[in-house]
Amino acid sequence: MTKKVLIINASPRKKGNIAQMVAEMTSEADARGAEVEVIEVQRLHVKPCVACMQCRAKGFCALPEDDAQRVLQLIKDCEAMVIAAPCYWGNIPGTLKLLFDRIVYGMMDESPRNFPLPLHKGKRCVLVSTSTTPWPLNILMHQSRGAIRAMKEICRYSGFKVVATIEKGGTRHNTTLAEREKNRCRKAVRKLLK
Ligand SMILES: Cc1cc2nc3c(=O)[nH]c(=O)nc-3n(C[C@H](O)[C@H](O)[C@H](O)COP(=O)(O)O)c2cc1C
């Protein structure tokens, strides 16, 4: 059966490392017969969550419909997902955080005693991040690793199983992907489609 893969690209840079990794992953997924949809977070119109908490009880967002609901539908429809985000302040970009803040209700539910109930169990996910901080400090100082940690939090509570993570530090001086980095991207997609 054709797998639907959703790739969420949270980098606004069209030729940056994230964009190159996304291109590599898209072509591998295409080549393996998957149905791929790429979302550019930069182009979305998403109002910030107002924390009214109505969605927790009602199961839908009280704000007027915008791209947050559209992306949530794509997440519901996909079988596998890639989230690719550069490290900003040791974390994910605000635009991506804003998006996931708005769709909590479609990612996890809560038991009557307020325990999280993941809504996407059985789906696979690959996480990608970049930072100017070079290796190994990008990991040790929680730079790209900080962004990965934040994305893992979303995956854990929504039930997505993280099958691979890719981090690249030192991007100021390494602006294009090395062959082994392209291979890592392709290998991660193969794990995603298993
Ligand atoms: C607002 C902002 C905050 C950033 N914060 C960090 C940071 O905390 N640590 C870091 O190593 N790099 C930081 N960077 C650099 C980006 O992580 C780096 O340029 C990354 O490689 C961009 O990836 P891309 O070209 O694939 O979009 C920041 C960049 C921006 C624009």
Side-chain angles (χ1 to χ4, degrees), residues 11 13 16-19 86-90 130-133 143 171:
S11 169
R13 304 181 73 206
N17 273 281
I18 292 281
C87 157
Y88 287 179
W89 286 106
T130 54
S131 65
T132 48
T133 306
Q143 298 303 295
T171 54

Side-chain angles (χ1 to χ4, degrees), residues 124-152:
R124 292 175 172 225
C125 190
V126 167
L127 304 177
V128 180
S129 189
T130 54
S131 65
T132 48
T133 306
W135 186 86
L137 296 179
N138 62 321
I139 311 263
L140 297 174
M141 305 298 284
H142 307 287
Q143 298 303 295
S144 59
R145 185 53 57 92
I148 293 283
R149 184 209 57 78
M151 292 187 273
K152 275 189 174 168

